[in-house]
C-alpha cells in the first residue's frame, strides 16, 4: 500500500480553514522554513503584504525553475521531453518570454469578451440545473453542476470536444493529486499532452472559430506546436479544475451560512461581493508556482540568499488581519477587495474574468432553482480533497 504523504504546511486545512499552525507562522515569524512534498527545502511566505511583494516582482522572484530545483520527476525525463513539458507553460516563465505568450491570449479573456459569452454561459448553467433536477434527489452537486458548467464553457472556448470530458477530467484530477506517485502523475501528463497534440494538429489543418483556431490563424508563425499544446493544456486544466471547485466548495460555504445564502439568492447586488469574499475565504489555490530568488532579499525581516525556493501561502495571506478585519469570518457584504486568490502582478490569473462570470451566474441560478437546497448527508461526512493542488470537494450530496 502506498504511503500517503504528509502535506506541506501551506496545503493543510481544517475543512474550510487553514490549519492553526499556518496562522501562527504568519503571526510570529512571517517566513518559515519548510520542505516541499518533493523533499526540496523552501521558505514559506505567509503575510499578505509579503506575498503581494513577491508576486509583483518577477525580477527578484523568478517563476522559472533554476537548475538547483528541477521539476519533480525530472531525473527520469529526457532533455527533449523536459523542453516539451515547459513549452507554452506560462506559469513557469518570466518576462519577456511570458509576456510574448500572454499578449497573444489576453484579448480572448477581456471583460468585454466575457460579456459576449454571458448568454451562452447562462444557457450552460440552466442546462446543468435541468440535468441536476432530472437526476432526482439526493444528487451530487459536483458531478451534476459544479464540474459540468466550467468544463463545457472551457471546452467551447478552446475547441475541445465535450464528449472527451470524462477522460480529461479524470486525468487532470489525478495529475493534481499529491498523494499519487510522481511516476503516475508524469504518465498522466504525457497522456494529456498527447491528447492535446492531436487537437492542435486538427486545428492546424482546419482552424475553427475557437481559441485554438484563433491561435493557429493569428499566431501560427510565432508559436511552435509544443507551445500550442502547452498553452491549451494549461487553459483546459485551469479552466475547469479551479472554477468547479469554487462552485462546489462555495455552495457548501453558503449552506453553512444560511443568511448569506439567502442574500446571494434574493439580492442581485450581493452576488459580486459574495463571489469576491468566497474567493478570499476559500483560497482554493494553495500557493501557485514556487518562486526562486535571483538575488539576496529581505522578507519579514529575514535575509534570504539568492537561489532559494519560495512557496507562497495564499490562504494565509487572504486570512491576514492586514487585509480585512476578522479575516476568518465569511462576510459577503465586504466584497474582499485586494485578495490574492487569483494571484497578483504579471501572473495574475488570465481567466479571472471568466471565472468570476461563471460564479456570478451559477450561484444565484442554483439557489433560485432550489430555494430549499440542503445537504443530503451530515456536514462531517463531506469529503474534502485534502491532497489536491486545487482544494475542493470530491462530492457534495444535496437535496431540495
Amino acid at each position: 500500500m502506498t504511503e500517503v504523504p504528509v502535506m506541506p504546511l501551506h496545503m493543510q486545512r481544517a475543512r474550510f480553514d487553514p490549519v492553526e499552525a499556518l496562522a501562527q507562522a504568519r503571526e510570529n515569524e512571517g517566513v518559515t522554513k519548510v520542505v516541499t512534498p518533493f523533499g526540496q527545502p523552501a521558505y514559506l511566505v505567509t503575510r499578505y503584504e509579503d506575498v503581494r511583494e513577491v508576486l509583483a516582482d518577477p525580477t527578484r522572484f523568478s517563476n522559472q525553475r533554476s537548475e538547483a530545483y528541477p521539476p519533480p520527476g525530472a531525473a527520469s525525463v529526457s532533455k527533449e521531453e523536459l523542453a516539451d513539458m515547459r513549452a507554452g507553460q506560462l506559469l513557469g516563465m518570466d518576462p519577456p518570454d511570458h509576456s510574448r505568450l500572454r499578449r497573444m491570449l489576453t484579448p480572448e479573456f477581456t471583460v468585454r469578451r466575457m460579456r459576449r459569452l454571458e448568454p451562452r454561459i447562462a444557457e450552460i448553467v440552466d442546462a446543468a440545473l435541468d440535468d441536476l433536477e432530472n437526476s432526482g434527489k439526493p444528487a451530487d452537486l459536483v458531478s451534476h453542476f459544479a464540474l459540468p458548467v466550467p468544463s463545457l464553457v472551457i471546452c467551447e472556448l478552446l475547441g475541445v470536444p465535450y464528449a472527451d470530458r470524462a477522460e480529461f477530467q479524470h486525468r487532470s484530477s489525478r495529475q493534481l493529486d499529491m498523494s499519487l506517485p510522481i511516476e503516475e502523475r508524469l504518465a498522466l501528463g504525457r497522456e494529456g499532452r498527447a491528447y492535446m497534440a492531436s487537437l492542435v494538429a486538427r486545428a492546424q489543418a482546419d482552424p475553427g472559430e475557437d481559441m485554438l483556431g484563433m491561435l493557429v490563424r493569428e499566431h501560427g508563425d510565432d508559436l511552435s506546436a509544443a507551445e500550442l499544446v502547452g498553452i491549451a493544456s494549461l487553459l483546459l486544466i485551469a479552466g475547469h479544475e479551479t472554477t468547479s471547485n469554487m462552485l462546489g466548495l462555495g455552495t457548501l460555504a453558503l449552506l453553512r451560512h444560511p443568511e448569506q445564502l439567502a442574500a446571494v439568492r434574493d439580492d442581485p447586488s450581493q452576488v459580486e461581493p459574495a463571489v469576491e469574499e468566497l474567493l478570499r475565504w476559500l483560497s482554493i489555490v494553495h500557493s501557485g508556482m514556487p518562486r526562486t530568488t535571483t538575488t539576496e532579499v529581505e522578507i519579514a525581516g529575514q535575509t534570504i540568499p539568492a537561489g532559494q525556493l519560495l512557496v507562497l501561502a495564499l490562504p494565509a495571506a487572504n486570512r491576514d488581519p492586514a487585509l480585512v478585519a476578522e479575516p476568518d469570518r465569511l462576510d459577503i457584504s465586504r466584497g474582499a477587495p485586494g485578495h490574492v486568490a487569483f494571484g497578483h502582478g504579471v501572473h495574475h490569473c488570465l481567466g479571472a474574468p471568466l471565472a468570476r462570470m461563471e460564479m456570478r451566474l451559477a450561484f444565484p441560478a442554483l439557489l433560485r432553482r432550489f430555494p430549499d437546497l440542503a445537504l443530503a448527508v451530515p456536514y462531517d461526512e463531506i469529503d474534502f480533497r485534502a491532497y489536491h493542488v486545487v482544494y475542493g470537494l470530491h462530492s457534495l450530496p444535496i437535496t431540495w
Side-chain angles (χ1 to χ4, degrees):
M1 183 176 176
T2 304
E3 186 177 342
V4 176
V6 175
M7 286 295 96
L9 181 59
H10 68 280
M11 291 181 66
Q12 294 179 27
R13 308 271 183 135
R15 299 203 157 241
F16 289 118
D17 302 321
V19 293
E20 181 62 28
L22 188 56
Q24 289 174 354
R26 182 189 62 224
E27 302 312 316
N28 295 333
E29 58 268 32
V31 175
T32 185
K33 289 185 177 180
V34 295
V35 176
T36 73
F38 310 106
Q40 302 159 326
Y43 290 85
L44 184 64
V45 183
T46 57
R47 293 175 184 164
Y48 174 74
E49 291 296 343
D50 296 330
V51 166
R52 290 248 309 181
E53 179 185 352
V54 173
L55 290 170
D57 189 350
T59 303
R60 291 187 301 149
F61 307 102
S62 169
N63 272 40
Q64 290 180 199
R65 287 181 179 271
S66 71
E67 294 303 314
Y69 300 107
S76 63
V77 177
S78 69
K79 286 186 177 179
E80 293 76 18
E81 185 180 4
L82 197 56
D84 277 350
M85 289 169 65
R86 287 174 164 159
Q89 292 294 330
L90 282 84
L91 297 180
M93 294 179 172
D94 295 330
D97 295 334
H98 169 269
S99 312
R100 177 179 73 90
L101 297 184
R102 176 114 180 182
R103 203 176 298 119
M104 298 177 192
L105 293 167
T106 298
E108 297 299 306
F109 287 97
T110 61
V111 173
R112 180 182 299 176
R113 168 88 165 125
M114 292 305 108
R115 287 202 188 105
R116 293 209 303 272
L117 290 176
E118 184 168 354
R120 178 58 186 140
I121 295 174
E123 287 178 3
I124 290 170
V125 167
D126 286 341
L129 289 172
D130 290 342
D131 175 67
L132 177 60
E133 191 167 7
N134 293 335
S135 71
K137 54 186 179 182
D140 175 22
L141 187 83
V142 171
S143 60
H144 285 285
F145 185 70
L147 192 49
V149 167
S151 293
L152 183 50
V153 170
I154 198 65
C155 280
E156 290 193 2
L157 198 62
L158 271 177
V160 173
Y162 189 56
D164 297 344
R165 67 192 180 281
E167 180 185 348
F168 73 67
Q169 286 168 357
H170 175 75
R171 186 165 52 233
S172 66
S173 177
R174 293 182 69 77
Q175 268 184 269
L176 299 176
D177 186 344
M178 302 293 282
S179 69
L180 297 179
I182 186 62
E183 296 78 15
E184 181 177 344
R185 291 191 286 123
L186 278 172
L188 289 164
R190 291 186 181 105
E191 289 176 21
R193 286 196 306 281
Y195 168 73
M196 195 56 72
S198 69
L199 298 185
V200 165
R202 190 185 311 172
Q204 288 173 323
D206 182 20
E209 295 304 311
D210 48 67
M211 194 178 301
L212 262 182
M214 177 279 294
L215 287 169
V216 168
R217 276 195 313 276
E218 297 182 17
H219 306 288
D221 294 337
D222 306 315
L223 291 170
S224 67
E227 285 178 321
L228 283 166
V229 168
I231 290 167
S233 299
L234 175 62
L235 294 177
L236 180 62
I237 292 176
H240 78 272
E241 277 286 342
T242 49
T243 308
S244 69
N245 283 293
M246 274 301 303
L247 291 175
L249 204 58
T251 299
L252 179 60
L254 291 173
L255 286 169
R256 299 290 292 171
H257 297 81
E259 290 182 3
Q260 299 189 58
L261 182 151
V264 173
R265 182 189 63 217
D266 301 333
D267 183 354
S269 71
Q270 289 294 298
V271 176
E272 287 191 28
V275 166
E276 297 308 312
E277 175 69 348
L278 286 167
L279 284 162
R280 178 198 72 83
W281 196 68
L282 297 172
S283 295
I284 60 165
V285 177
H286 302 286
S287 64
M289 289 291 289
R291 266 64 175 176
T292 304
T293 55
T294 61
T295 185
E296 182 178 280
V297 298
E298 184 175 307
I299 302 175
Q302 294 191 42
T303 299
I304 300 174
Q308 300 301 300
L309 206 59
L310 300 185
V311 176
L312 309 180
L314 300 184
N318 278 335
R319 296 286 189 101
D320 191 335
L323 173 61
V324 294
E326 297 183 78
D328 292 323
R329 180 172 59 86
L330 181 70
D331 178 4
I332 64 168
S333 67
R334 61 178 153 205
H339 66 73
V340 289
F342 284 126
H344 176 63
V346 297
H347 287 282
H348 183 269
C349 176
L350 184 67
L354 177 61
R356 284 184 164 109
M357 174 164 286
E358 289 178 274
M359 288 184 276
R360 182 172 60 77
L361 295 173
F363 282 126
L366 169 69
L367 301 177
R368 286 196 298 266
R369 177 74 72 94
F370 303 108
D372 298 320
L373 191 71
L375 291 180
V377 298
Y379 172 64
D380 59 11
E381 292 181 15
I382 299 297
D383 191 9
F384 288 73
R385 301 198 331 170
Y387 297 100
H388 278 67
V389 173
V390 181
Y391 195 55
L393 304 171
H394 287 289
S395 63
L396 183 59
I398 52 148
T399 189
W400 54 86

